[in-house]
Amino acid sequence: MTSPALDSWRTARPISVWLDNSQRPPVRPALERDTRTDLLVVGGGFTGLWTALLAKERDPDRDVLLIEGERVGWAASGRNGGFCAASLTHGESNGRERFGTEYETLHRLGLENLDQIEEALIRYGIDCGWERTGELDVATEPYQVDQLRAADGEFLDAEAVRREVDSPTYLAGSWNRRNTAILDPARLAWGLAKACETLGVRICETTRATALDRDGGDVVVTVEPAAGSVRVRAKRVALGTNVFPNLLRRVRPFIVPVYDYVLATEPLTVAQLKAIGWRNRQGIGDSANQFHYYRLTPENRILWGGYDAVYYFGGSVKPRYDQRSATFELLARQFAETFPQLAEVRFDYRWGGAIDTCTRFCAFYGTALGGQVSYVLGYTGLGVGSTRFGANVMLDLLAGQATERTELEMVRSRPLPFPPEPVKYAGIQMTRRSLAKADRNEGHRDVFLRTLDRLGLGFDS
């Protein structure tokens, strides 16, 4: 029989714990008339917000307009786990596999980017619960122990890792104290928006971009607020729409939306926290292909997400996909297995959202319309930190500058596109099944996964 606590996800609030906050700013007015600007930023998530902020820091006299089709931070930027990682390549393994000769440079740039985020939070007084506690990777199967022993972090045997966080499933851990901070991502988005406005950025919400054209020396973007269509004429345009249909149709085949789901518990009591330890408040991820990520919120809730990434046929982003009972039930059961000491803890929140995934599992970049439009997308998670780096790349590209960033192979190359349906759906489902099979088989990859590896399409977490 299902325990009331285990089954409590059914009555949990169907909204991100981060967005359910009385401090959420009131909605900003939509753009209601034609306008001109030096730089138009499309998208009010982390990519767009960092782009607008950095653009004004580079040139305070530049007029910058940011438009968002819904609310600032409402999509992936307000629904993620709040892990702000240094990695620009979706982890070391993926980075070394794809960009081996420049990985050390990418690693350095990622750490510098993380330091610069911390500096910006201090400079602008952004209170987003920043805690640079690092990330604890844990082994839950014997074959994973040696992998963590070779990882870039402080190796912890079973006894040592359970002194940090006590789960009977832990066999070892690797704690990298420098590479990750945890934060409240919605408060980060709202704080960045406020900082943008203090520098003179105009922000219009509920203003959806629908078309992009060139007219003379300008780029013209058509937007649709409630009052009807209006046009923005801009010298430069930066696209930060990520998982949503890109205004550049040629870019769309490179992205698919994969849905990720999350539960958040009620706040833990002092006794419940003592039962599991977790005094150092690290972000935690386990080491399987289908992996969980989890952390303590500032209110001492446990945010518990990941594992069951889902692609829906056709690749649409729809509100009804934000809730998936089968995944919430699975996550609740896995939580109980990881922390049996917390059998009476109930879930207060359940939510989901789409991640922009590409075939190389980290961001790619480009320009269009003679260099007047730039874009970055395909983060595949880990975008809380790397979006700032992506924003800098977009601004470099728009300026026509040759920088250390623009000379990177990661920036100059792009991933392979996904095939059309139904091949795309079939391929993604086969990949998911093979990854699950590898997790059950001591990490051994089957013929299908090894073929993807040879084609440069392989994935591990």
Side-chain angles (χ1 to χ4, degrees):
M1 185 172 67
T2 303
S3 72
L6 192 62
D7 207 36
S8 62
W9 65 265
R10 298 181 185 277
T11 56
R13 300 197 65 179
I15 185 176
S16 164
V17 66
W18 310 119
L19 295 175
D20 188 30
N21 189 327
S22 61
Q23 298 178 14
R24 189 177 190 179
V27 61
R28 294 171 174 83
L31 183 66
E32 299 290 354
R33 60 176 61 88
D34 291 355
T35 190
R36 302 182 69 96
T37 188
D38 295 326
L39 173 64
L40 173 65
V41 179
V42 182
F46 291 141
T47 297
L49 292 166
W50 280 118
T51 302
L53 186 69
L54 292 167
K56 289 296 283 187
E57 288 182 347
R58 291 186 182 201
D59 181 0
D61 294 327
R62 174 165 32 191
D63 183 67
V64 178
L65 169 64
L66 183 150
I67 59 172
E68 163 56 45
E70 296 285 343
R71 301 284 305 279
V72 163
W74 78 282
S77 295
R79 306 189 200 190
N80 61 80
F83 286 64
C84 189
S87 178
L88 305 176
T89 59
H90 203 271
E92 179 180 358
S93 177
N94 193 56
R96 289 192 182 279
E97 176 68 24
R98 300 182 190 283
F99 313 109
T101 59
E102 66 183 24
Y103 178 76
E104 294 304 325
T105 298
L106 290 167
H107 179 66
R108 171 180 58 80
L109 290 172
L111 287 171
E112 290 174 358
N113 181 65
L114 187 62
D115 290 341
Q116 289 157 3
I117 290 173
E118 186 168 7
E119 293 164 5
L121 300 183
I122 296 169
R123 183 164 65 254
Y124 292 106
I126 297 175
D127 179 10
C128 61
W130 176 271
E131 298 179 75
R132 197 153 178 183
T133 52
E135 182 167 12
L136 180 64
D137 295 315
V138 297
T140 56
E141 297 290 341
Y143 76 90
Q144 299 166 359
V145 174
D146 285 341
Q147 295 174 1
L148 292 187
R149 199 184 303 273
D152 182 17
E154 175 188 349
F155 179 76
L156 305 174
D157 63 18
E159 182 180 355
V161 72
R162 291 187 64 175
R163 281 198 300 267
E164 288 297 327
V165 184
D166 189 8
S167 168
T169 67
Y170 294 174
L171 304 179
S174 177
W175 184 8
N176 191 313
R177 299 171 185 254
R178 188 184 174 201
N179 70 343
T180 302
I182 57 173
L183 50 77
D184 180 327
R187 283 163 52 198
L188 173 60
W190 302 335
L192 289 173
K194 182 178 179 181
C196 284
E197 290 175 323
T198 63
L199 297 185
V201 175
R202 294 180 286 157
I203 299 178
C204 294
E205 295 180 311
T206 63
T207 301
R208 186 176 303 280
T210 59
L212 182 150
D213 298 291
R214 201 173 188 180
D215 184 11
D218 293 330
V219 179
V220 179
V221 175
T222 303
V223 302
E224 292 186 355
S229 296
V230 299
R231 302 205 311 168
V232 181
R233 300 184 71 90
K235 296 177 182 177
R236 299 287 186 272
V237 175
L239 300 176
T241 52
N242 294 311
V243 77
F244 296 97
N246 200 282
L247 293 178
L248 299 170
R249 288 186 173 273
R250 72 186 192 205
V251 174
R252 295 181 186 182
F254 293 90
I255 289 293
V256 296
V258 174
Y259 273 78
D260 184 50
Y261 295 95
V262 188
L263 295 172
T265 70
E266 63 190 344
L268 270 59
T269 65
V270 172
Q272 288 166 341
L273 270 175
K274 186 176 180 181
I276 60 172
W278 217 342
R279 295 174 302 279
N280 291 308
R281 300 179 61 83
Q282 308 96 326
I284 300 177
D286 55 45
S287 301
N289 291 303
Q290 291 185 289
F291 64 97
H292 303 92
Y293 57 85
Y294 42 114
R295 46 78 57 92
L296 292 170
T297 73
E299 301 81 23
N300 287 330
R301 304 177 187 273
I302 296 179
L303 181 148
W304 174 262
Y307 189 82
D308 196 21
V310 178
Y311 173 74
Y312 294 94
F313 185 86
S316 297
V317 179
K318 298 181 179 180
R320 65 186 176 91
Y321 296 155
D322 292 346
Q323 300 290 319
R324 190 171 190 268
S325 296
T327 297
F328 294 136
E329 184 172 354
L330 177 64
L331 285 172
R333 187 168 66 250
Q334 293 166 335
F335 177 88
E337 293 167 356
T338 302
F339 293 122
Q341 314 97 305
L342 304 180
E344 302 305 314
V345 172
R346 300 178 64 86
F347 297 104
D348 277 354
Y349 291 90
R350 55 180 167 90
W351 73 93
I355 296 172
D356 58 325
T357 302
C358 68
T359 56
R360 74 182 193 187
F361 310 107
C362 61
F364 66 95
Y365 314 81
T367 61
L369 301 187
Q372 288 182 272
V373 177
S374 66
Y375 58 85
V376 55
L377 62 165
Y379 292 101
T380 319
L382 297 194
V384 177
S386 57
T387 46
R388 183 186 179 278
F389 181 84
N392 264 319
V393 171
M394 280 205 295
L395 291 171
D396 289 350
L397 293 173
L398 288 175
Q401 294 177 337
T403 67
E404 183 179 27
R405 290 181 289 259
T406 62
E407 294 302 307
L408 292 166
E409 174 64 19
M410 187 181 76
V411 172
R412 293 186 290 109
S413 64
R414 64 168 56 193
L416 292 172
F418 288 94
E421 299 287 19
V423 176
K424 176 166 53 179
Y425 181 82
I428 292 172
Q429 300 313 311
M430 288 177 65
T431 301
R432 291 184 67 216
R433 285 193 293 269
S434 291
L435 289 171
K437 179 181 176 182
D439 286 339
R440 296 190 301 268
N441 192 29
E442 297 186 339
H444 297 302
R445 299 164 81 81
D446 62 16
V447 172
F448 180 70
L449 289 180
R450 292 199 301 271
T451 300
L452 292 182
D453 292 341
R454 287 194 294 272
L455 295 173
L457 302 174
F459 174 79
D460 64 52
S461 60

